[in-house]
Amino acid sequence: MHAYTASRISLPSRSTLPNLPEAFEPAPLQPLSFYPAAAEIYAQGEKAGAFYQVEFGAVRVYRLLADGRRQISAFHLAGETFGFEADTTHHFFAEAINSTGVRVFRLTAGADMSHQLLPLAFKGLTRAQEHLLVLGRQSAIERVAAFLVDLAERQGGLRQVELPMSRMDIGDYLGLTIETVSRIFTRLKDKGVIRLLSLRSIEIVRHDALHAMSE
């Protein structure tokens, strides 16, 4: 695990840490942990027992298939939590996409976690089901459009959407090749649906059209 901490960074108050149940507390005396791009946060098969919240940057959660291919199951952005497991073992790898700050939350001693964990479990299940619906769509342009709509909503619904992940990451998430993803981005640009501001940033010009393609 390639992480380092900065002792001069103070822990924020609970009011600045959204979406976390009261049964969780920041790990005692542990400041924010920093992970450089491509650094592993935890590995498949490692012992679980904590939640992680992205303070800045982005995280990809993935599994390596038997033939060596990578299947990304989720991306997590600033303010989002990840690492929830139904048992005591991690079933996926978690890795920083770019320079990322992560805070670890562990169960307080003797806490009854059932009531607090249920909403998080349902939220994770809902997002997994939505991902399966995206993968079930036959058209590559529908998958990419659905991905961009979801990413825009998670970033506050702004016209400009940041893409911390690479085209290869997007392909591994949507079950497409990197060439197909790049071709779809170009097609959306040519149709005037999006504007490519840079490799990692787009502007949604016609949100209604993009949303219609995603359905």
Side-chain angles (χ1 to χ4, degrees):
M1 181 183 297
H2 304 287
Y4 62 93
T5 59
S7 58
R8 287 180 293 180
I9 293 181
S10 60
L11 290 170
S13 64
R14 175 167 292 279
S15 61
T16 64
L17 297 169
N19 305 321
L20 291 173
E22 291 295 327
F24 289 89
E25 297 288 349
L29 304 179
Q30 289 191 8
L32 196 64
S33 294
F34 294 87
Y35 295 84
E40 183 180 278
I41 299 171
Y42 58 75
Q44 180 180 341
E46 285 187 358
K47 183 178 179 180
F51 275 95
Y52 305 80
Q53 183 177 49
V54 182
E55 295 289 316
F56 64 84
V59 171
R60 56 181 162 242
V61 176
Y62 67 95
R63 177 177 288 182
L64 295 176
L65 305 180
D67 59 4
R69 289 180 297 133
R70 181 184 65 167
Q71 176 63 61
I72 294 179
S73 64
F75 296 112
H76 299 285
L77 310 177
E80 298 179 351
T81 57
F82 65 99
F84 175 81
E85 299 287 356
D87 53 26
T88 60
T89 303
H90 285 298
H91 297 274
F92 295 85
F93 294 88
E95 188 175 84
I97 297 176
N98 46 22
S99 295
T100 299
V102 174
R103 201 174 299 279
V104 181
F105 294 83
R106 304 186 187 280
L107 277 173
T108 55
D112 180 5
M113 56 184 257
S114 57
H115 177 72
Q116 291 87 352
L117 290 184
L118 191 59
L120 292 177
F122 279 132
K123 185 175 182 179
L125 179 61
T126 299
R127 183 162 291 280
Q129 290 173 330
E130 291 172 348
H131 186 207
L132 287 176
L133 290 175
V134 171
L135 292 178
R137 295 175 184 177
Q138 295 182 357
S139 168
I141 198 168
E142 289 176 347
R143 297 187 193 184
V144 174
F147 170 75
L148 293 178
V149 168
D150 175 66
L151 204 60
E153 291 175 351
R154 291 161 65 186
Q155 294 185 23
L158 301 177
R159 288 171 60 92
Q160 183 169 332
V161 179
E162 301 303 320
L163 303 172
M165 63 291 293
S166 67
R167 300 291 193 268
M168 181 175 291
D169 283 341
I170 296 172
D172 288 348
Y173 179 71
L174 297 177
L176 303 171
T177 65
I178 183 174
E179 293 82 9
T180 299
V181 173
S182 297
R183 186 169 60 250
I184 296 302
F185 270 77
T186 300
R187 186 187 302 180
L188 292 173
K189 181 198 71 173
D190 293 343
K191 288 177 175 290
V193 177
I194 66 173
R195 183 177 293 116
L196 300 178
L197 304 178
S198 69
L199 188 62
R200 297 298 178 92
S201 180
I202 69 165
E203 179 185 356
I204 299 178
V205 180
R206 298 168 54 199
H207 189 276
D208 290 345
L210 188 66
H211 196 278
M213 292 178 184
S214 71
E215 295 180 338

